[in-house]
Amino acid sequence: MATTDKEHALQGHLGAGSLMMLIIAASAPLTAVAGGAPTSYAVTGMVEVPMGYLVLGVVLLIFAVGYAAMSSNITNAGALYAYIATGLGKRHGLAAAWLALVSYNAMQIGLYGIVGVTISGTLSALLGIEVSWWIAALVCWLVTALLGAMNIDASAKVIGVLVLLEFAVVAFVDFIGLANPAEGLSAQAFDPAGFAGPGVGAALAFGMAAFMGFESATIYAEEAKDPKRSVPRATYGALMLIAGFYAFSAWAIGQGVGDSQIVDRARELGPELIFVFLEEGGHGGLATVGRIIFVTSLLAALFAFHNAVARYALVLGREGVLPEKLGRTHPKTHAPIYASLAQSALALLFIVGFAAYGEATNAGPEFPVLTMFSWLTNAGAFGIVFLLLITSIAVVMFFRGDREHNVFVRVIAPVLAMIGLAVIFIEILIHFDVMVGQEGFHPLVVGMPSVILLTGVAGYIRGEMLRRSNPELYECIGTGVGVAA
């Protein structure tokens, strides 16, 4: 059975600042601004895309009120899984755990598709070296696997440097855009009246990708210095920084290109928009640096989601729900070594599988972006938003009868978050065809969300089976510890 002693405990000394860097790494600032913002402009046809980031930020800050309050009572690397198991029951918790494993794996593995293509294109453009996308992806896979075996304090420093470089590049782009506005400075992007058209749903659906991973501070609770204080601080700080900085940056880019041109230019250039903008403005050197940092941005996101998967698997291994070996940590680095290796092995299978299919069918250079990246990351985002929605319900149930916290924390905030997240979830479902590049009821449009949700159903059924066949192990679900040997 899973161990209950401290031999395989996660260890670290993360403060609120380090936790914020790990959270922001998952949202990948340069990727969100260079890739996400132009995509939102292109798909929605709205100048008010920056307003979407602020709306999402408000919804998630409201969610964070109850979530952070609950974190002061629960210190568990299982995060959303542990919260749902505590608030709604162990069967719901196991359903959430399985759904989380699939969703975070999908987010992480899907990124290899775009990072491989990005590195391949960058090497070709800058050095004239032609490298297949899957070779570049395998190099990133190896780096991620090595970082996953390191102590979290050491790897957090690496991630922190990469994230700061991203912010520096985006800040330069913002400065250039505002210093040389194409049509004069305008506040149209923040006009609430304009944020009411048919593209609002798509803006919320695509904008949500910029916030993926904001909830991950709780995953590192066992590795934080003072989790009861640092986890809430990191969560609030990261959310405010993400919402404010991304909204400001999307607006600044819009000012540099021009309100009347931003949608058309985004549709024409896509993720190349800010780099072409820099080159056209005589900042070719910064554009080159930006393309390189874009690669490291994706690498930081890869590692952030790898961490999330490994820690969910570690908790389930401890509890005996998954093989006990997954619940062990490295004796020196205290990293979740076997869970990390398992995630790396799964990612390797997908990289090799997509590479083999692409080679066999002579697929074009954008194949891994249009398939591996688009399919998996959007399916993962769909699952994570659903988990956040269920967590809001769990927060309300957890604080029933509680008198320590006020009614806003216990009821009002989580209910408002529940409503907001339900709207976002429905919008993602409605626009899932656009997000995966298909039309109508394509098998992918129906199949990908179904796989995510059915995974949760399977987890619930497994929980019921354990309740009947192994009550002792069933009682361990959501606790972070296993049955005593």
Side-chain angles (χ1 to χ4, degrees):
M1 288 296 180
T3 57
T4 56
D5 58 28
K6 295 183 178 180
E7 178 186 357
H8 295 294
L10 292 166
Q11 292 185 23
H13 301 85
L14 299 174
S18 296
L19 287 171
M20 279 184 62
M21 289 298 102
L22 288 167
I23 292 171
I24 294 170
S27 73
L30 185 54
T31 302
V33 174
T39 300
S40 290
Y41 278 123
V43 172
T44 64
M46 296 173 60
V47 176
E48 295 82 7
V49 163
M51 188 72 178
Y53 291 112
L54 296 182
V55 171
L56 289 168
V58 170
V59 171
L60 296 178
L61 278 169
I62 293 173
F63 166 84
V65 171
Y67 185 65
M70 202 168 175
S71 73
S72 65
N73 294 274
I74 301 173
T75 301
N76 190 323
L80 299 178
Y81 152 55
Y83 289 15
I84 292 172
T86 306
L88 297 180
K90 298 184 182 298
R91 287 170 295 184
H92 294 83
L94 194 54
W98 286 30
L99 200 153
L101 276 177
V102 171
S103 298
Y104 282 105
N105 261 307
M107 289 292 296
Q108 201 272 350
I109 294 171
L111 287 172
Y112 283 110
I114 192 170
V115 75
V117 170
T118 301
I119 292 176
S120 176
T122 301
L123 289 174
S124 176
L126 298 182
L127 302 176
I129 300 174
E130 300 297 329
V131 176
S132 297
W133 75 268
W134 56 268
I135 294 177
L138 286 176
V139 171
C140 292
W141 170 86
L142 180 60
V143 172
T144 302
L146 291 174
L147 283 173
M150 293 171 60
N151 178 270
I152 190 63
D153 294 324
S155 52
K157 290 181 174 64
V158 175
I159 296 300
V161 171
L162 297 180
V163 170
L164 289 174
L165 288 173
E166 293 181 61
F167 274 117
V169 170
V170 177
F172 273 116
V173 174
D174 293 348
F175 174 78
I176 293 168
L178 295 178
N180 303 281
E183 300 167 1
L185 294 178
S186 165
Q188 182 183 347
F190 298 105
D191 179 11
F195 194 70
V200 171
L204 294 176
F206 280 91
M208 191 64 195
F211 293 86
M212 286 294 100
F214 84 90
E215 76 292 344
S216 60
T218 53
I219 293 172
Y220 303 101
E222 294 180 34
E223 297 156 281
K225 291 178 185 177
D226 183 3
K228 290 186 178 181
R229 299 180 66 184
S230 57
V231 167
R233 287 178 179 178
T235 302
Y236 285 126
L239 274 174
M240 288 188 286
L241 185 58
I242 290 170
F245 187 73
Y246 290 5
F248 179 81
S249 297
W251 172 68
I253 293 168
Q255 298 308 290
V257 176
D259 283 346
S260 66
Q261 297 295 316
I262 185 63
V263 171
D264 290 336
R265 292 286 279 171
R267 287 172 175 168
E268 175 190 354
L269 299 170
E272 280 289 299
L273 174 65
I274 70 166
F275 304 122
V276 171
F277 167 70
L278 290 173
E279 289 168 345
E280 290 177 347
H283 304 284
L286 181 57
T288 299
V289 172
R291 286 189 169 94
I292 295 171
I293 302 300
F294 186 64
V295 172
T296 64
S297 169
L298 292 168
L299 186 60
L302 276 172
F303 180 60
F305 284 111
H306 173 87
N307 272 349
V309 175
R311 280 152 182 77
Y312 272 106
L314 174 119
V315 171
L316 292 170
R318 280 182 187 169
E319 296 173 358
V321 178
L322 290 180
E324 180 269 338
K325 202 166 188 177
L326 293 175
R328 300 180 185 179
T329 58
H330 192 279
K332 293 183 178 179
T333 67
H334 302 287
I337 186 65
Y338 294 105
S340 178
L341 290 173
Q343 200 284 325
S344 295
L346 182 63
L348 180 62
L349 288 176
F350 272 83
I351 294 171
V352 171
F354 272 89
Y357 181 82
E359 293 292 330
T361 58
N362 293 316
E366 292 299 309
F367 164 75
V369 174
L370 298 176
T371 56
M372 188 176 187
F373 171 70
S374 179
W375 299 351
L376 296 181
T377 57
N378 283 306
F382 172 83
I384 293 171
V385 171
F386 183 70
L387 279 172
L388 296 176
L389 171 59
I390 301 303
T391 302
S392 295
I393 302 172
V395 171
V396 175
M397 299 303 291
F398 177 78
F399 284 117
R400 284 182 305 170
D402 177 272
R403 292 296 177 266
E404 179 183 350
H405 300 84
N406 61 51
V407 68
F408 181 75
V409 172
R410 292 185 287 111
V411 181
I412 297 175
V415 169
L416 289 175
M418 195 188 311
I419 295 169
L421 288 165
V423 171
I424 296 169
F425 175 76
I426 292 169
E427 291 296 344
I428 290 176
L429 191 59
I430 291 172
H431 296 282
F432 201 79
D433 56 342
V434 179
M435 296 172 77
V436 296
Q438 302 294 338
E439 294 183 3
F441 287 97
H442 187 276
L444 277 174
V445 176
V446 178
M448 296 299 283
S450 297
V451 167
I452 296 292
L453 296 179
L454 287 175
T455 300
V457 173
Y460 185 91
I461 294 172
R462 173 60 175 161
E464 175 61 19
M465 292 171 63
L466 286 175
R467 186 183 71 84
R468 297 183 181 187
S469 63
N470 195 337
E472 195 176 14
L473 192 152
Y474 176 78
E475 288 303 316
C476 296
I477 294 174
T479 65
V481 297
V483 179

